[in-house]
Amino acid sequence: MDRTAQLTARRADRDIAYDPPPAADSPHAGAARVLEENWTGTSTVPSRGLYPHQWSWDSAFIAIGLRHVSPLRAQTELETLLDAQWGDGRVPHIVFNPSVPLDAYFPSPDFWRSSTAGRAAGAPRTVQTSGIVQPPVHALAAWLVHRADPGLSRARGFLTRVYPRLAAWHRYLLHRRDLGGAGLASVVHPWEQGMDNSPCWDAPLRRVPPAPTRSFRRADLDHGAADDRPTDLDYGRYVRLATDYRDGEYADGQGLFAVEDPAFNALLIASEHALAGIARELGATGTARHARAERLTAALIDRMWDPASGMFLCHDVRAGGLIPERGVSGLIPLLLPTLPRDIAATLVGTAHGPHFGLGRTTRLAPSYDLLGEAFDPHRYWRGPAWFNTGWLLERGLRTHGERDRAEALREAMLDLAVASDFAEYVDPYTGKACGTTRFSWTAALTLDLLHDFEELMDSKGGNRG
């Protein structure tokens, strides 16, 4: 019996499960119900209303949680996403469900025109996707999913099938997206970094003339309050960047926006370590991938570490130099197991200091500097706290031996996830739900936090905690 069915139905006399079944009204069961509600049969939508398709990094986080209730569904989640991979290796940030009306989400498939505008880049012909990408959490997710049930994974040939695709995805990022020449991946649109509306993008976006408001209709405002969402001016710039990228046939390196982001690259490094683990499982050594991860870590420090800020900052490739805004992205490299101890200690201090207030004035780290001029506790990525960044920070704290702080963050995340009905994001001070509720990655990561901590990477360097 599928584990999710056990959680969402009455208990049988004798359970066969991966973990002891919880009570029907437990957080575990509630989170599993959210994932069941949002399951389409082959993948999981972030939410039925606001996000009715498959999103790339959402699916990676969802798979990490699903592995605890149905490893088969977790594997299927990642396989479905990778089936939409382009010939050049990119994993698109949206895979569109053809049964969803075009006006349910913007930009819709007829905007991206992937099968035509993306033909030169190898876009699939049988499925419609966007043309941009999202953070590369996928190899990390695949490795954790495999470890949840190695027998099932081996029997299905899961790693054998996904490894070449994940390797091609990393090659694309490390070669086609090395726009700054330092070996790091650049994002060419704020949506690619995942923290779409961060003030970290304000300066580079000023170079972008907005598309006329009359040229698009924002479906997001049908489901969320305007005060919580990006402004029309910012949205117009997002549309302009996406339009130019599409009209350039999704060729990289030509646009007005190119930024090296610390979280994006930290997740690439973490996934390189995970790919090394997958390679070992498949009979190779993984040594080259570990070495690459170490080179990328050194480049990340050299390129984006700012001692004066006590954290990593985004690097504007087009203008040159660091962007002087403190976003939660700059704390995410704490995830890396071989980060120098002094840098790790400084990041811990910054996370718990006045700019983010973790454990002091906030229960979850805000997405942007509490003391920044652009801080807004409710507006999308300009202050609210998100559960996926909290999950990454919790793992980072444990990785560097900060068990008490990690446990406090874990407890806060579990409390707020349940109290907010698994909200998309919350006010960092009050925990009030923002965005949509019954959000899939919040539910999935709640499931993961309810389980004993596992090392993110069974790799060289290991867990320092």
Side-chain angles (χ1 to χ4, degrees):
M1 177 185 288
D2 185 16
R3 179 75 171 115
T4 305
Q6 291 178 323
L7 290 171
T8 56
R10 293 181 63 183
R11 287 183 56 185
D13 292 338
R14 182 172 181 269
D15 291 309
I16 300 173
Y18 291 95
D19 299 292
D25 59 351
S26 70
H28 200 297
R33 278 194 292 271
V34 171
L35 296 180
E36 182 67 15
E37 291 166 7
N38 292 337
W39 175 246
T40 69
T42 56
S43 64
T44 310
V45 298
S47 74
R48 287 288 180 180
L50 186 54
Y51 305 105
H53 303 285
Q54 183 179 24
W55 261 258
S56 173
W57 77 325
D58 291 73
S59 279
F61 288 120
I62 289 164
I64 288 169
L66 270 178
R67 68 192 170 118
H68 298 296
V69 295
S70 176
L72 177 58
R73 262 176 57 194
Q75 292 177 29
T76 302
E77 183 82 37
L78 295 172
E79 290 165 346
T80 300
L81 178 68
L82 292 172
D83 281 345
Q85 187 172 23
W86 290 28
D88 64 3
R90 81 182 74 193
V91 175
H93 100 294
I94 303 175
V95 180
F96 290 106
N97 182 342
S99 67
V100 173
L102 288 178
D103 63 357
Y105 183 80
F106 179 84
S108 52
D110 58 341
F111 172 88
W112 295 104
R113 305 172 199 165
S114 61
S115 60
T116 54
R119 185 177 298 132
R125 296 185 178 183
T126 58
V127 62
Q128 294 296 311
T129 76
S130 65
I132 60 176
V133 303
Q134 276 191 322
V137 200
H138 311 90
L140 177 58
W143 181 231
L144 292 176
V145 166
H146 163 78
R147 291 174 60 192
D149 191 336
L152 175 67
S153 176
R154 290 168 187 145
R156 296 188 66 246
F158 172 65
L159 292 183
T160 301
R161 285 181 288 110
V162 301
Y163 180 78
R165 297 188 176 198
L166 294 169
W169 168 220
H170 285 209
R171 280 197 301 274
Y172 168 77
L173 294 174
L174 292 168
H175 296 286
R176 302 284 184 99
R177 288 300 189 89
D178 181 14
L179 305 182
L184 299 169
S186 292
V187 296
V188 300
H189 195 291
W191 290 340
E192 293 198 313
Q193 195 270 352
M195 304 177 192
D196 309 1
N197 196 38
S198 170
C200 298
W201 313 133
D202 289 356
L205 277 175
R206 291 191 192 105
R207 298 192 293 268
V208 180
T213 304
R214 65 182 181 277
S215 68
F216 58 90
R217 189 189 79 82
R218 295 183 56 179
D220 63 316
L221 297 182
D222 295 339
H223 303 279
D227 287 346
D228 289 352
R229 305 294 297 174
T231 65
D232 284 344
L233 176 60
D234 285 334
Y235 217 90
R237 287 170 168 149
Y238 303 154
V239 172
R240 172 70 68 186
L241 282 172
T243 301
D244 290 349
Y245 194 37
R246 178 200 67 199
D247 293 348
E249 298 184 325
Y250 298 110
D252 292 311
Q254 307 302 315
L256 295 171
F257 186 98
V259 175
E260 293 165 345
D261 173 76
F264 193 100
N265 281 280
L267 291 169
L268 176 59
I269 294 166
S271 281
E272 273 293 305
H273 282 301
L275 273 183
I278 295 173
R280 286 199 308 273
E281 168 68 21
L282 297 177
T285 66
T287 304
R289 294 206 173 273
H290 281 308
R292 182 180 294 117
E294 291 311 305
R295 289 196 300 272
L296 290 170
T297 300
L300 179 73
I301 294 168
D302 180 66
R303 191 83 158 173
M304 286 184 264
W305 176 246
D306 183 51
S309 300
M311 62 187 301
F312 291 87
L313 301 179
C314 296
H315 183 267
D316 188 339
V317 173
R318 291 287 176 255
L322 297 176
I323 298 171
E325 299 285 359
R326 292 179 172 90
V328 72
S329 170
L331 301 176
I332 301 304
L334 189 63
L335 181 72
L336 302 177
T338 59
L339 200 67
R341 291 183 182 275
D342 60 331
I343 290 180
T346 301
L347 285 174
V348 171
T350 300
H352 294 82
H355 293 284
F356 293 91
L358 188 58
R360 299 171 63 191
T361 57
T362 65
R363 296 191 70 194
L364 271 61
S367 49
Y368 178 66
D369 184 0
L370 297 171
L371 305 180
E373 291 184 7
F375 174 78
D376 184 327
H378 295 158
R379 194 178 288 277
Y380 203 61
W381 288 111
R382 300 180 82 84
W386 292 70
F387 290 89
N388 65 328
T389 54
W391 182 86
L392 292 168
L393 287 175
E394 194 265 357
R395 268 42 189 171
L397 289 168
R398 290 192 189 274
T399 294
H400 293 280
E402 296 283 348
R403 287 192 180 92
D404 290 344
R405 282 174 163 153
E407 186 59 27
L409 178 54
R410 173 182 173 276
E411 290 178 1
M413 291 177 67
L414 290 173
D415 288 347
L416 292 176
V418 174
S420 69
D421 193 21
F422 304 101
E424 183 180 3
Y425 50 99
V426 297
D427 183 308
Y429 291 121
T430 68
K432 179 182 176 182
C434 301
T436 189
T437 56
R438 306 192 72 73
F439 195 69
S440 288
W441 82 25
T442 304
L445 297 176
T446 295
L447 287 172
D448 195 63
L449 290 168
L450 285 167
H451 289 74
D452 291 337
F453 174 70
E454 297 176 80
E455 291 180 5
L456 279 178
M457 292 155 285
D458 179 15
S459 63
K460 176 183 174 183
N463 187 321
R464 296 186 184 182

